[in-house]
C-alpha cells in the first residue's frame, strides 16, 4: 500500500505485454484486460494503445478499403452513425465492467471497494474478530460443513470461507501481505495483521457498492451500509446505462440505414389519415 512513483524504465512498450492481457481468458483469476493489477502495465498499455490508434488513423486516412469491405458494409451517413454507436456501446460495457471489478485503475481509496473486495473484507473482519476471541479459525466449520473462516479453493489455495469463496481470486493491497504462494497464511493472519488492515476491512465491509437492502455476495446489510452507493457504483451504472442506450441507438440507425439502402423508406401513408375524412366545422 505504499505510495510510489512509476519510473519510465519500469514501463515496457512491447506489444506482447498488451496482447498477454487481450488474449487471456475473461473469467477466473486472469480476467482479460480487467485483470491488470499493476500501474506499470496500466501505463504501458495506455501508451501502446495510443500509439497503435495513431498509426491506425494514419493508415485509414491514406488507404482505401478493400473491395470485400466495400461490398460488405453500407457507406452512408446513417450507417457511419450506427457503426460509431456500436463501438461506443462496446467501449461502455467494457468500461463499466472495468470500473466495477478493477481496483488498480480505479483505486478503492477513491472510488470505494469493489463488490468482491467488500465481500472478502467482511470475512476478513469477522475472522480477525473471532480469532482475537480465541476461536480456531483454521478449523471452524459453518452450517454446511465447509470452512467458516478459511477453506480450500479449486486450485488448492487457502482462501476465505463462507459465501465470499466465489471471489477467492480477488486481489487487494490490504490482504496481499497475508498471502503466500499457497494462498492465505494462517500464521500471518494470527500474528501479522496490522491495525490499518483491520480498519480497512471494516470500512470496506460497511461500504459495499451494492445500493441494496439485501445481502449480495455474502455482504451483511448493516446500519452504515443500507442503500450505500459509492462513486464506483455511480461510475459503473452510468457507463452501463449509456452503453445500453448506445446499442439501442445502433440498432435503430443501422435498421434505418439498411432499409434506406434498398429504397424501403417510403414515409407514412396519408391515404387513410382520419383528418382527411372529417367534415368541415362550419
Amino acid at each position: 500500500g505504499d505510495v510510489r512513483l512509476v519510473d519510465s524504465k519500469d514501463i515496457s512498450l512491447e506489444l506482447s505485454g498488451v496482447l498477454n492481457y487481450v488474449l487471456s481468458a475473461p473469467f477466473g483469476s486472469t480476467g482479460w484486460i480487467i485483470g491488470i493489477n499493476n500501474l506499470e502495465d496500466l501505463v504501458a498499455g495506455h501508451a501502446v494503445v495510443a500509439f497503435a490508434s495513431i498509426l491506425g488513423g494514419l493508415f485509414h486516412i491514406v488507404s482505401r478499403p478493400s473491395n470485400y469491405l466495400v461490398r460488405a458494409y453500407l457507406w452512408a451517413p446513417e450507417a457511419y452513425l450506427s457503426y460509431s454507436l456500436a463501438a461506443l456501446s462496446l467501449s461502455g460495457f467494457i468500461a463499466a465492467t472495468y470500473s466495477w471489478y478493477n481496483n488498480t485503475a480505479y483505486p478503492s481509496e477513491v472510488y470505494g471497494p469493489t463488490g468482491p473486495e467488500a465481500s472478502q473484507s467482511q470475512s476478513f473482519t469477522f475472522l480477525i474478530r473471532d480469532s482475537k476471541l480465541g476461536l480456531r479459525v483454521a478449523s471452524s466449520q459453518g452450517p454446511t460443513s465447509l470452512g467458516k473462516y478459511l477453506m480450500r479453493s479449486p486450485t488448492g489455495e487457502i482462501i476465505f470461507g463462507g459465501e465470499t469463496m466465489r471471489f477467492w481470486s480477488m486481489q487487494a493491497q490490504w490482504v496481499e501481505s497475508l498471502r503466500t504462494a499457497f494462498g492465505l497464511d494462517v500464521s500471518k493472519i494470527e500474528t501479522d495483521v496490522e491495525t490499518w488492515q483491520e480498519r480497512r476491512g471494516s470500512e470496506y465491509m460497511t461500504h459495499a457498492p451494492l445500493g441494496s437492502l439485501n445481502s449480495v455476495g455474502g455482504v451483511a446489510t448493516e446500519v452504515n451500509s443500507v442503500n450505500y452507493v459509492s462513486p464506483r457504483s455511480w461510475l459503473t451504472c452510468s457507463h452501463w446505462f449509456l452503453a445500453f442506450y448506445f446499442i439501442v441507438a445502433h440498432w435503430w440507425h443501422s435498421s434505418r440505414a439498411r432499409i434506406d439502402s434498398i429504397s424501403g423508406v417510403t414515409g407514412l401513408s396519408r391515404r387513410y389519415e382520419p383528418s382527411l375524412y372529417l367534415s368541415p366545422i362550419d
Side-chain angles (χ1 to χ4, degrees):
D2 294 337
V3 177
R4 59 189 177 82
L5 178 66
V6 178
D7 200 327
S8 58
K9 67 176 182 293
D10 298 325
I11 299 175
S12 174
L13 298 181
E14 296 181 1
L15 186 60
S16 60
V18 177
L19 292 178
N20 287 336
Y21 286 103
V22 174
L23 299 179
S24 63
F27 43 77
S29 58
T30 52
W32 196 49
I33 62 172
I34 300 168
I36 190 170
N37 60 1
N38 62 89
L39 287 177
E40 286 76 12
D41 287 350
L42 184 66
V43 174
H46 278 82
V48 171
V49 171
F51 183 69
S53 298
I54 293 174
L55 289 182
L58 294 175
F59 171 78
H60 287 294
I61 289 175
V62 301
S63 64
R64 181 186 183 279
S66 65
N67 292 331
Y68 170 77
L69 293 177
V70 171
R71 292 191 302 268
Y73 288 90
L74 298 178
W75 304 91
E78 192 150 24
Y80 301 155
L81 176 60
S82 70
Y83 303 151
S84 301
L85 288 169
L88 284 174
S89 176
L90 176 62
S91 300
F93 283 124
I94 293 174
T97 310
Y98 209 118
S99 59
W100 182 251
Y101 286 107
N102 190 278
N103 55 10
T104 299
Y106 301 94
S108 301
E109 291 80 3
V110 178
Y111 295 92
T114 65
E117 194 172 8
S119 180
Q120 293 270 291
S121 65
Q122 175 177 267
S123 291
F124 172 75
T125 300
F126 292 155
L127 183 153
I128 298 302
R129 180 199 65 182
D130 294 348
S131 177
K132 290 182 177 181
L133 292 175
L135 273 69
R136 299 178 60 181
V137 295
S139 57
S140 297
Q141 293 182 336
T144 59
S145 297
L146 294 175
K148 181 177 181 181
Y149 303 99
L150 297 172
M151 61 185 300
R152 292 282 184 180
S153 74
T155 56
E157 300 174 9
I158 300 177
I159 61 174
F160 289 120
E163 196 173 349
T164 191
M165 63 183 177
R166 73 183 76 172
F167 303 127
W168 64 273
S169 61
M170 186 277 306
Q171 297 180 358
Q173 48 86 18
W174 55 269
V175 74
E176 292 306 309
S177 62
L178 305 177
R179 286 196 173 114
T180 65
F182 303 100
L184 293 170
D185 191 318
V186 178
S187 61
K188 287 185 177 182
I189 291 177
E190 293 176 345
T191 60
D192 295 349
V193 175
E194 299 183 18
T195 306
W196 72 270
Q197 291 172 299
E198 297 180 18
R199 291 199 306 266
R200 190 64 53 82
S202 59
E203 175 191 353
Y204 286 174
M205 176 185 72
T206 55
H207 290 79
L210 304 177
S212 173
L213 291 173
N214 300 318
S215 173
V216 180
V219 181
T221 302
E222 300 190 9
V223 176
N224 294 326
S225 63
V226 173
N227 277 346
Y228 179 78
V229 180
S230 67
R232 188 182 299 277
S233 304
W234 285 106
L235 189 64
T236 299
C237 291
S238 61
H239 277 89
W240 198 96
F241 284 112
L242 286 173
F244 178 75
Y245 294 149
F246 283 143
I247 194 63
V248 172
H250 160 70
W251 294 334
W252 167 260
H253 288 289
S254 62
S255 300
R256 283 177 51 88
R258 176 61 67 180
I259 290 295
D260 185 58
S261 68
I262 59 175
S263 301
V265 178
T266 58
L268 298 176
S269 174
R270 295 177 59 87
R271 179 178 300 178
Y272 301 107
E273 189 166 341
S275 61
L276 297 177
Y277 300 92
L278 295 177
S279 302
I281 297 177
D282 57 353

